[in-house]
Structure formats: C-alpha cells, structure tokens
Amino acid sequence: VGTTLLDTELPTQHSDQMLETEKKVRNTLVSLGMQEIINHPLSAPENHDKLHPGGEPSSEADYVIVTNPIAPEKRAMRRELLVSAMENLTRNNRFTDRLVTFEIGRAYLRENGNGVLPHEERRLSLLMTGTRRTANFYPDADGSEEMDFFDIKGVIEALLDRLGFKPEDVEFHARPDTGTFGPRCAEVTLNGESIGLVGEIHPQVRRAYGLPNIRVNTAELKLASMIKPHWSLEPMQPISNYPPVV
C-alpha cells in the first residue's frame, strides 16, 4: 500500500508560555546551584499563622478544607508556598546545615475563585540557609560565611536576567518588619508591578518553627508576572574583547 498525505490541515500550534517560563526558571536555578524540591500542597492553618506572629489567628473559612484529611496537619490547601518551604526546612535541618532549594507550585486562594473552585496561582519559592559554599579541604573564609539577603537577591537578579528582563526593569524596595520577614526585606517589582517579597525570616517566625539561630533567606514570587514573550526582539550585548580564561 502506498503512502498518502493527510487530506486535512494540521491544527494551529500554540505555545504554552507559562510552561516555557517554568522550564527556563527551573533550568536557570539548577545551573545556579539550587536544588528543586516538591512539597505537599496540604498544610494547616496553624502552620500559616506561624509566618505571621502577633496577628489574628486565621479562620478555616479562608482555606480549602479537605473533608477526610490523611492527618490533622494536612487538612487545608496551602495559601503560601513559604509555609511548605519552612516545614521542609524544619524536617531537614536535623540532617544538614545547608539548604539551597526552590519550588514551583500552586497557592490556593479561595476568595479569588469562582465560588466552587479556588484560584490556583502559580508561584516560585526560594530558600537559602547555611554557608555560602559547601565545606572542602581548602581554606575558604568567604565560603564559610552564612548566606544573607544579598545572596538570594543575586539569585533573583540572575534569574530575571536569564528570562530576558533588563536591569532597569527590576527594582527592590525596602519593606522592613513585615511580620514574616525582619528588617532585611524588600519588595520585588518587575516593570512597576509587585511580584513578591524577598528577605530574611524574622527571628520570631524562626523560633515558632523550632529552628536554631540561623539565617533563613526566602522569597516567594508570582510566576505569571515573569512571563516574557519569546518573540520580543532585544539587542545583543557586545562581545567582550577580553574573553575569560578557564
């Protein structure tokens, strides 16, 4: 039997910009030395309250509650990825002093839903704690220092640069004492739009999770605001006359 051609036109191919952005984010952060984690989307309202010391206890009406949870601490859909990152740090801090992780996942906002299903917002969370570099046999004074706000700020700047945004598109505005974060905190804006917060976890929050006296640097950003169309044209940076010698 001979070959025949299709008698109908192929459907128009549409790219998924969110999926492509997530892939770029994942590849960039892994190349920067971070490790991807997959946390459970279920948590508990009291674990969210630990992120906001001094505030009013949250009501379960603000959460999507599971009818038959596997455990009391897994009875509500999380509203923040940061709560999962802190729970993960609490479990793993007993085994390692250094964690450099990220997660791409969903936050479930009941008030922004359609009355039946909650709004599922795609977000990116970052967590960096411990020494700047892993221990080795050679003297490394700078590498033995604890990571701070500027380490995680540099990761965000490098990520947005890889996604195609210019340095002037990104701004960091000081937001001290937000409750979750201490004085080392900033709001990240992209083209004038706020996409999240980055900073060092407040000592009260750290104690609420039972963590020792360590610096915990975290960030939570909206992924939808980080989508950059692939068809946009950008001028190339000039090639350096002095290439690096590796």
Side-chain angles (χ1 to χ4, degrees):
V1 179
T3 58
T4 58
L5 297 176
L6 293 173
D7 59 355
T8 57
E9 294 182 2
L10 291 176
T12 304
Q13 301 297 309
H14 299 281
S15 62
D16 190 333
Q17 292 188 355
M18 174 62 80
L19 198 61
E20 292 176 0
T21 300
E22 289 183 8
K23 183 178 180 180
K24 290 180 182 178
V25 169
R26 187 175 287 109
N27 292 340
T28 300
L29 294 178
V30 170
S31 69
L32 292 174
M34 303 194 74
Q35 181 179 9
E36 183 179 12
I37 57 175
I38 301 175
N39 289 314
H40 207 290
L42 291 171
S43 185
E46 52 268 24
N47 285 346
H48 284 74
D49 292 340
K50 293 179 182 179
L51 294 174
H52 309 282
E56 293 292 332
S58 57
S59 171
E60 292 200 357
D62 298 330
Y63 297 83
V64 180
I65 303 298
V66 180
T67 304
N68 53 344
I70 58 177
E73 62 272 14
K74 298 292 184 184
R75 68 180 188 277
M77 305 298 289
R78 63 185 178 186
R79 294 177 56 88
E80 302 174 68
L81 268 64
L82 188 54
V83 68
S84 299
M86 293 299 294
E87 291 172 355
N88 182 70
L89 173 60
T90 303
R91 290 189 296 267
N92 287 279
N93 186 66
R94 298 174 296 170
F95 310 107
T96 180
D97 296 329
R98 186 179 189 273
L99 277 178
V100 185
T101 61
F102 73 94
E103 181 189 10
I104 297 175
R106 292 181 173 90
Y108 300 86
L109 307 178
R110 184 172 185 177
E111 66 277 10
N112 296 339
N114 57 9
V116 179
L117 297 175
H119 173 60
E120 301 182 13
E121 187 172 78
R122 300 290 289 178
R123 295 183 183 179
L124 165 69
S125 72
L126 308 172
L127 187 143
M128 302 174 67
T129 184
T131 56
R132 187 161 288 127
R133 285 186 287 272
T134 55
N136 57 70
F137 291 104
Y138 300 98
D140 188 6
D142 294 335
S144 61
E145 295 180 352
E146 275 192 295
M147 289 180 284
D148 56 21
F149 171 82
F150 295 100
D151 289 278
I152 194 168
K153 177 176 178 285
V155 168
I156 294 175
E157 290 174 334
L159 171 62
L160 295 177
D161 177 71
R162 291 282 187 90
L163 291 176
F165 294 97
K166 300 176 182 178
E168 55 267 25
D169 297 335
V170 187
E171 293 182 348
F172 294 85
H173 302 279
R175 288 283 302 276
D177 301 323
T178 57
T180 303
F181 300 95
R184 302 180 184 91
C185 175
E187 180 181 17
V188 186
T189 61
L190 190 58
N191 292 320
E193 177 188 357
S194 175
I195 64 172
L197 293 175
V198 55
E200 185 178 324
I201 289 295
H202 198 284
Q204 292 183 359
V205 176
R206 192 184 63 230
R207 287 192 293 267
Y209 278 95
L211 294 169
N213 186 18
I214 57 176
R215 281 185 168 179
V216 182
N217 310 286
T218 63
E220 185 165 343
L221 309 174
K222 300 177 183 177
L223 273 174
S225 303
M226 299 164 64
I227 296 176
K228 189 170 180 63
H230 64 279
W231 44 261
S232 61
L233 300 178
E234 301 291 344
M236 290 185 59
Q237 296 294 325
I239 299 176
S240 174
N241 294 327
Y242 306 96
V245 177
V246 180

